[in-house]
Amino acid sequence: MADSSFDIVSKVERQEVDNALNQAAREISQRYDFKNVGASIAWSGEKIEMRANSEERVKAVLDVFETKLVKRGISLKALDTGEPQASGKEYKIFASIQEGISQENAKKVSKIIRDEGPKGVKAQIQGEELRVSSKSRDDLQAVIALLKGKDLDFALQFVNYR
C-alpha cells in the first residue's frame, strides 16, 4: 500500500487579513477614545501601518487589530509587529504578515517529528513547506497532535492529508 502523507505549511489568507484590517479601521473611526488622536490603520505596501498621536494610543490600535485577526481565525504568530516609533508628532507601528516556513523552522519541526514522533514517519523539507509521510494514518494523526501541542513561535496549518 502507498504511503499516506500531509503537508505542513504556514499560510495566511490575505483576504481575511484585509477584512480584519477594514473592521479595525471602522472601529477606530467610530470609537470615542480614538477621537481627535489621529488614530489610523492602513496597508503601506506589504506592511500594515498604524498611527496615533501617543504611544499608548498606537498600542491600542494594534490591540484592536489583533482582536479582529483572532475573530477571523488568523493566528497572531503570523503577525510580526515592530516597536512604536516616534515620527514627528505621531507614533507609528509597522506590522507584517509572515508566510512560509523558513529553513531553520522547517528543520526544527522535522527534528521534533524525528525525536518525539512515531517510528516510520518521514519528514521532507520542500521549499517553504514540509511533507510528512508514513504507512500508517494513525501515525500521521499522532504527528499532527504532537505539533499542535508544541508551542512554536510560528503558525502551522496541515493540508493535503491523503
Side-chain angles (χ1 to χ4, degrees), residues 5-8 106-115 118 120-126 129-134 140 143 147:
S5 69
F6 69 88
D7 295 334
I8 301 173
K107 287 177 183 168
K108 234 186 270 182
V109 170
S110 77
K111 181 170 175 24
I112 290 171
I113 293 170
R114 241 188 351 265
D115 295 348
V121 175
K122 295 186 288 286
Q124 303 164 311
I125 299 172
Q126 298 179 332
E129 58 185 48
L130 208 66
R131 162 105 6 116
V132 180
S133 57
S134 170
L140 293 180
V143 168
L147 292 175

Side-chain angles (χ1 to χ4, degrees), residues 5 10 17 38 49 79 81 133:
S5 69
S10 182
V17 175
E49 180 182 14
L79 185 70
T81 57
S133 57

Side-chain angles (χ1 to χ4, degrees), residues 51-82:
R51 304 167 170 236
N53 66 359
S54 74
E55 194 170 335
E56 291 77 34
R57 285 285 133 228
V58 79
K59 285 182 179 176
V61 171
L62 175 62
D63 188 51
V64 168
F65 181 54
E66 287 177 344
T67 306
K68 299 300 179 191
L69 284 175
V70 169
K71 281 186 179 172
R72 300 205 72 84
I74 297 171
S75 171
L76 291 181
K77 292 177 181 177
L79 185 70
D80 182 28
T81 57

Side-chain angles (χ1 to χ4, degrees), residues 7-157:
D7 295 334
I8 301 173
V9 296
S10 182
K11 288 194 169 107
V12 175
E13 189 129 352
R14 174 81 180 213
Q15 186 61 49
E16 289 298 323
V17 175
D18 240 9
N19 293 342
L21 185 110
N22 292 335
Q23 286 179 339
R26 196 173 314 117
E27 182 174 324
I28 289 163
S29 71
Q30 292 172 349
R31 265 178 46 178
Y32 181 76
D33 58 336
F34 286 121
K35 292 279 186 240
N36 302 323
V37 295
S40 68
I41 181 170
W43 285 104
S44 172
E46 281 298 304
K47 292 187 180 286
I48 298 162
E49 180 182 14
M50 291 158 264
R51 304 167 170 236
N53 66 359
S54 74
E55 194 170 335
E56 291 77 34
R57 285 285 133 228
V58 79
K59 285 182 179 176
V61 171
L62 175 62
D63 188 51
V64 168
F65 181 54
E66 287 177 344
T67 306
K68 299 300 179 191
L69 284 175
V70 169
K71 281 186 179 172
R72 300 205 72 84
I74 297 171
S75 171
L76 291 181
K77 292 177 181 177
L79 185 70
D80 182 28
T81 57
E83 290 299 309
Q85 304 165 343
S87 168
K89 291 184 177 177
E90 65 182 6
Y91 285 83
K92 294 180 182 179
I93 294 180
F94 287 100
S96 59
I97 304 295
Q98 292 180 322
E99 288 195 298
I101 302 173
S102 69
Q103 284 293 322
E104 64 195 48
N105 287 339
K107 287 177 183 168
K108 234 186 270 182
V109 170
S110 77
K111 181 170 175 24
I112 290 171
I113 293 170
R114 241 188 351 265
D115 295 348
E116 301 175 34
K119 297 286 175 247
V121 175
K122 295 186 288 286
Q124 303 164 311
I125 299 172
Q126 298 179 332
E128 292 191 337
E129 58 185 48
L130 208 66
R131 162 105 6 116
V132 180
S133 57
S134 170
K135 292 205 181 305
S136 162
R137 286 183 163 223
D138 291 342
D139 287 351
L140 293 180
Q141 293 286 351
V143 168
I144 290 174
L146 169 74
L147 292 175
K148 282 185 176 176
K150 291 287 176 194
D151 185 32
L152 301 167
D153 54 349
F154 52 96
L156 293 179
Q157 290 87 32

